Amino acid sequence: MNNNVLIIGFFLNDRNHWTSGDCGLPAIPESTKLSLFKSRYAEQSVISYECEETKDQLIEGKHRQCLNHRWNGSLPRCAKEVEAVLLKRIEITEMGGRQPLYREMKWSAVEPRRMARIVNNNAKYDTTDCPKTRFLWSVNQSQSWTFHVLRGYYFNYFSLRLRSAGGSLRQLYDQNRLQLSATMEDIISSKRCLLERFRAHDTDPLAEVISFVCDKSERQMIGAQEGVDESIEKIVVRAVVAVDDHAVNITTTFCDLRLYVLSESCGSPEKPLNSDHLVREKTYTVFTCREGFHLVGHQRVRCSPDGQWLDPFPRCLPNKTCPIPAIDRPDPNLFVQYKHFYDVNGSQYGVPDDLAIYSCVNTTTNATTKQVIGPISRVCRDGKWTGSQPGEMSNSQNDHRAKYMNAMSGLEVVEHDGVIQKVCWLEWMLAIKTVRVRPSDVFVCGYPKSGITWLQEIVCRIVSDGVVGRDGHRIVDDVMATKNNHLSSFETLDNPRIVSTHFEAKYLPSFATIDCKVIYIVRNPKDVCVSYYHFHKMLKEYGSGVDWDDFCHLFLSGQLLTGDWLSHVNDYWLTYGTRNHPNVLFIAYEELCADLTAMVGTIGRFLGKQLTAETVANIAVKCTADAMRDSFINPPEFRSNSQFIREAKVGDWKRHMTEHMSALFDKRYGDGLRAIGLPVCDHMEGAIEYMSKTGRIIQRN
């Protein structure tokens, strides 16, 4: 993949839309069960496995996580305990020596389960001493421990319970001062066993359990060899102690040996999302996809004789995917991010409505050195990326940004997730995603200077039947949430709570699954830039600032406070607008200017208010720019001669922008907006024409 391509997953939970992050039902190995069983799991879901029988051992991992349509983490297995293991004798031999240092010949044929004491009719291990302890090892020399097992057993997994004083074997192992290995041996063959894990004992707090998994290709039979009346098989554990200057004063006693067998069955296979049905046989499973999707990966996934899946599970992709990277021609300065994508065994695919977002970076320093010219985003439609790849304009000195950051130094700003934000916003930004949302809540959202204050006034009037405006309603916005301690008192506010924010959708609760109301207002970027420029000049703490031309270039490159305008709009529109979500309303600033009364009625109906024509007309009168300008009180951070509500009209950009700058805006935003199907008007005549023909500029709501 091109080094300039960054895959960033941002996933939706709407079941009716393609979502790249969700996972289907994971594979369930034989004799295991899931902590949470369902047919679909959301991105980042974590599942836990456990054995159906508490006496059995779970090996090779317990937790798995759904990431990018894939279950990450090894698939666990349950080892079933052999019921009656009979030990003939134990021998301890110094490594390299011939004569045993210790031999226990009197080990009686005792089942491990009978090594427990009966306490209140419950079998529990003695926590004061190891039952049937037979040898003591001072960890100062390498040794081999040989366990002679009598009679016939199948097993391919075993564990030792040991008690240590003065330290632990696990600690020595982690310090690379102890190596442990094992073999299973009979009169015919020898098979290697690998250390699987250390763990604490469930009921014996003084003991640690060391487990080994043996050759998985076939089960090993212990004892009962043909023609041998009383064959004795061996499990040999080799403990190699590193020779160093550190004294080792740990003493270890043996408690018991447990043998287990791993199932020959693979259990239930994974059920990928959008798969149709599975054809299951003992040694393989065949996968197919439902209509509209095609299979990527192995159609036939094999199951080995020792109960393990040999092939990765396939995925079902939409029939019309787009190639990744979305690069038509090589460009070392172009950097691409993706909102949705599908990863199958290391190969990425763009899915329907996937968004490719372009920016310019220095691939060595990761610093922005150029500016994108043309659309910054493309959409995956019918297997192709819409539009064309953008170019870039040199900005090697980055003078505009340096001037801007210097001017903003008095405002306490910080860069968060690559976007300049006010420090006072961050606490609310990090907390708002997890707030408990009520059905009566109304979220008013938009990029700065898009008319969000105007929209606040309209919403406040509507929910109060025209009586109370924004000055009489306790609105929670990005600044007030932290300054007035609204963050801690948010739960105590009366209904309906009105939350106003400039944050992108990714920082907010997922409204796709929440029954509240969200209104997003969008304004043409040329007028937004003009209004934002004057807004900066109103701030007391804003220094000498940058001139108009530099400010426009900063706006075009998304380097102003709150980040890139088009990314902000895309985040909401592609998350909710293209889905026609019933609880999310998109309105255009230009619609309010063209027919305020009609839009008050539209917003009122969306909020579920039955307003009379007289009330609607009254609200419209009180929400005109002149009425709001007369009653508006400037915030204390504004200069005394500032006028927060300035022109409040469409097309003010014509008095500020040159033809060349206007063309740059058209190139930067026009193609991108057309690609996602969002109409935006930058002149009043167009807005009126839209409204007269269809009643709305934004038709999808």
Side-chain angles (χ1 to χ4, degrees):
M1 179 178 290
N2 189 306
N3 291 333
N4 293 353
V5 177
L6 174 66
I7 303 293
I8 295 182
F10 180 74
F11 312 107
L12 310 178
N13 293 322
D14 185 351
R15 288 175 177 266
N16 296 321
H17 179 258
W18 173 254
T19 55
S20 179
D22 293 358
C23 295
L25 182 67
I28 306 176
E30 186 77 8
S31 303
T32 65
K33 59 183 179 180
L34 286 177
S35 58
L36 181 63
F37 187 94
K38 54 185 181 179
S39 60
R40 188 186 193 104
Y41 296 79
E43 164 79 1
Q44 298 186 349
S45 295
V46 176
I47 57 172
S48 300
Y49 290 86
E50 59 185 49
C51 294
E52 293 177 341
E53 299 290 338
T54 56
K55 64 183 180 180
D56 297 338
Q57 288 294 318
L58 189 73
I59 63 175
E60 298 183 26
K62 180 179 181 180
H63 304 289
R64 303 180 76 197
Q65 185 176 28
C66 172
L67 293 174
N68 194 24
H69 231 313
R70 176 194 301 276
W71 286 109
N72 283 18
S74 59
L75 192 62
R77 306 177 73 191
C78 276
K80 298 189 72 65
E81 185 177 356
V82 176
E83 290 296 332
V85 179
L86 303 183
L87 289 175
K88 181 67 175 178
R89 69 176 183 270
I90 302 173
E91 295 177 347
I92 310 299
T93 305
E94 184 177 356
M95 296 291 286
R98 293 181 178 273
Q99 296 298 321
L101 298 174
Y102 171 88
R103 175 177 289 175
E104 172 57 63
M105 300 293 294
K106 299 179 181 180
W107 188 281
S108 58
V110 179
E111 296 182 15
R113 302 200 179 289
R114 295 178 183 173
M115 293 180 180
R117 292 183 178 181
I118 304 300
V119 180
N120 297 328
N121 295 322
N122 292 319
K124 294 184 178 180
Y125 280 104
D126 188 346
T127 59
T128 61
D129 192 14
C130 283
K132 302 298 181 183
T133 298
R134 283 296 181 270
F135 72 82
L136 181 70
W137 175 41
S138 179
V139 187
N140 53 21
Q141 59 183 349
S142 300
Q143 294 184 348
S144 64
W145 313 331
T146 304
F147 303 91
H148 295 260
V149 184
L150 182 65
R151 295 175 58 183
Y153 304 104
Y154 283 115
F155 80 97
N156 46 22
Y157 184 84
F158 71 90
S159 65
L160 303 173
R161 180 162 69 104
L162 304 170
R163 280 190 177 181
S164 299
S168 72
L169 298 183
R170 174 61 183 269
Q171 184 179 16
L172 287 180
Y173 179 81
D174 290 341
Q175 295 172 351
N176 294 320
R177 301 173 66 193
L178 174 66
Q179 297 179 7
L180 292 170
S181 62
T183 55
M184 297 187 303
E185 301 176 6
D186 58 28
I187 61 176
I188 299 176
S189 63
S190 174
K191 295 186 178 181
R192 186 176 63 167
C193 302
L194 300 177
L195 178 66
E196 195 266 328
R197 64 169 173 164
F198 282 86
R199 67 176 179 86
H201 193 271
D202 295 334
T203 58
D204 185 353
L206 302 179
E208 53 188 337
V209 177
I210 306 174
S211 301
F212 293 84
V213 60
C214 304
D215 189 348
K216 298 180 182 180
S217 60
E218 58 180 291
R219 295 186 299 178
Q220 172 72 15
M221 185 173 184
I222 292 294
Q225 297 290 343
E226 184 177 355
V228 180
D229 294 334
E230 192 179 77
S231 64
I232 298 175
E233 307 305 324
K234 297 185 295 184
I235 298 175
V236 182
V237 178
R238 296 170 179 83
V240 180
V241 180
V243 178
D244 53 32
D245 296 332
H246 300 282
V248 179
N249 298 315
I250 300 174
T251 57
T252 298
T253 56
F254 166 73
C255 297
D256 64 32
L257 168 72
R258 300 288 181 99
L259 303 185
Y260 301 85
V261 62
L262 295 168
S263 173
E264 293 180 341
S265 171
C266 287
S268 301
E270 185 174 317
K271 182 69 166 59
L273 286 181
N274 304 303
S275 59
D276 193 2
H277 65 277
L278 310 179
V279 178
R280 294 190 58 187
E281 300 291 344
K282 182 177 180 180
T283 59
Y284 64 88
T285 298
V286 178
F287 294 81
T288 58
C289 298
R290 64 182 177 87
E291 186 177 357
F293 294 81
H294 67 279
L295 191 105
V296 175
H298 296 272
Q299 184 176 24
R300 174 181 292 197
V301 177
R302 298 166 297 161
C303 175
S304 69
D306 70 321
Q308 295 190 96
W309 295 107
L310 297 177
D311 308 301
F313 293 107
R315 299 289 180 267
C316 291
L317 270 65
N319 285 338
K320 294 183 178 181
T321 58
C322 295
I324 287 181
I327 298 293
D328 303 330
R329 59 187 182 278
D331 189 334
N333 296 304
L334 208 56
F335 188 68
V336 192
Q337 298 177 346
Y338 301 89
K339 285 291 186 180
H340 318 282
F341 69 97
Y342 205 131
D343 188 305
V344 179
N345 301 328
S347 298
Q348 285 80 33
Y349 304 84
V351 297
D353 291 332
D354 192 355
L355 182 67
I357 302 175
Y358 297 85
S359 62
C360 291
V361 297
N362 182 308
T363 55
T364 302
T365 64
N366 204 35
T368 301
T369 58
K370 289 178 177 286
Q371 180 177 309
V372 174
I373 297 298
I376 66 163
S377 63
R378 301 166 74 185
V379 181
C380 178
R381 295 270 171 81
D382 296 325
K384 297 180 180 179
W385 294 104
T386 60
S388 59
Q389 177 179 319
E392 73 275 344
M393 181 176 67
S394 177
N395 184 23
S396 58
Q397 300 300 318
N398 212 1
D399 290 338
H400 306 323
R401 180 181 174 87
K403 290 180 182 179
Y404 181 72
M405 292 302 291
N406 182 61
M408 297 289 285
S409 59
L411 288 174
E412 295 186 349
V413 296
V414 65
E415 190 166 322
H416 178 75
D417 283 350
V419 175
I420 301 172
Q421 302 283 7
K422 288 184 179 180
V423 173
C424 63
W425 291 359
L426 286 183
E427 183 182 0
W428 182 235
M429 174 183 283
L430 299 176
I432 191 173
K433 193 175 185 67
T434 60
V435 299
R436 185 179 302 173
V437 178
R438 303 172 188 167
S440 59
D441 288 345
V442 181
F443 281 76
V444 178
C445 312
Y447 190 85
K449 307 312 296 176
S450 295
I452 200 167
T453 302
W454 194 0
L455 186 57
Q456 290 173 8
E457 181 73 19
I458 295 171
V459 170
C460 288
R461 294 283 180 184
I462 289 174
V463 298
S464 65
D465 295 319
V467 177
V468 179
R470 62 185 302 278
D471 292 336
H473 200 103
R474 195 178 181 188
I475 297 175
V476 179
D477 63 20
D478 301 333
V479 177
M480 300 302 291
T482 49
K483 274 192 174 182
N484 289 353
N485 201 28
H486 283 196
L487 185 59
S488 61
S489 62
F490 186 70
E491 288 290 337
T492 66
L493 295 179
D494 295 332
N495 294 334
R497 298 182 301 187
I498 299 177
V499 182
S500 174
T501 182
H502 295 309
F503 300 152
E504 292 185 34
K506 63 184 178 182
Y507 296 113
L508 304 181
S510 177
F511 299 120
T513 57
I514 298 175
D515 190 21
C516 68
K517 299 296 185 181
V518 181
I519 306 176
Y520 184 84
I521 185 168
V522 59
R523 185 183 188 184
N524 81 81
K526 295 178 183 178
D527 280 334
V528 170
C529 184
V530 171
S531 184
Y532 211 11
Y533 174 70
H534 287 286
F535 171 83
H536 278 73
K537 293 177 67 175
M538 291 185 224
L539 297 172
K540 292 179 181 178
E541 301 299 328
Y542 185 62
S544 57
V546 296
D547 60 28
W548 166 242
D549 189 67
D550 289 347
F551 191 90
C552 287
H553 284 290
L554 286 169
F555 188 92
L556 286 167
S557 59
Q559 298 185 61
L560 294 175
L561 189 67
T562 314
D564 182 62
W565 177 86
L566 187 56
S567 295
H568 199 286
V569 173
N570 278 339
D571 197 19
Y572 280 89
W573 182 250
L574 293 177
T575 303
Y576 302 111
T578 57
R579 317 285 178 257
N580 287 319
H581 195 284
N583 291 333
V584 182
L585 175 68
F586 284 79
I587 65 172
Y589 179 93
E590 292 74 19
E591 291 176 322
L592 299 179
C593 293
D595 195 338
L596 179 57
T597 302
M599 291 307 299
V600 169
T602 297
I603 297 170
R605 289 188 294 274
F606 171 73
L607 295 177
K609 297 292 291 185
Q610 302 296 324
L611 302 176
T612 65
E614 182 181 359
T615 301
V616 170
N618 181 52
I619 292 174
V621 169
K622 293 180 179 179
C623 291
T624 61
D626 290 338
M628 289 184 61
R629 190 181 293 112
D630 292 340
S631 61
F632 190 86
I633 301 175
N634 281 343
E637 60 265 27
F638 281 14
R639 303 180 194 274
S640 58
N641 60 345
S642 300
Q643 184 66 61
F644 182 83
I645 300 176
R646 291 188 323 104
E647 299 294 334
K649 65 181 182 181
V650 182
D652 189 41
W653 60 270
K654 296 177 182 178
R655 298 193 301 114
H656 296 75
M657 288 188 180
T658 63
E659 290 185 5
H660 173 69
M661 187 61 70
S662 175
L664 289 179
F665 270 69
D666 291 339
K667 184 66 175 175
R668 173 72 168 80
Y669 301 116
D671 292 344
L673 291 171
R674 282 189 290 272
I676 63 174
L678 177 62
V680 173
C681 292
D682 63 5
H683 54 283
M684 194 63 184
E685 295 79 6
I688 294 174
E689 183 179 357
Y690 260 115
M691 297 288 284
S692 63
K693 288 182 177 180
T694 62
R696 291 290 310 278
I697 294 176
I698 302 177
Q699 294 295 321
R700 296 199 177 193
N701 298 97

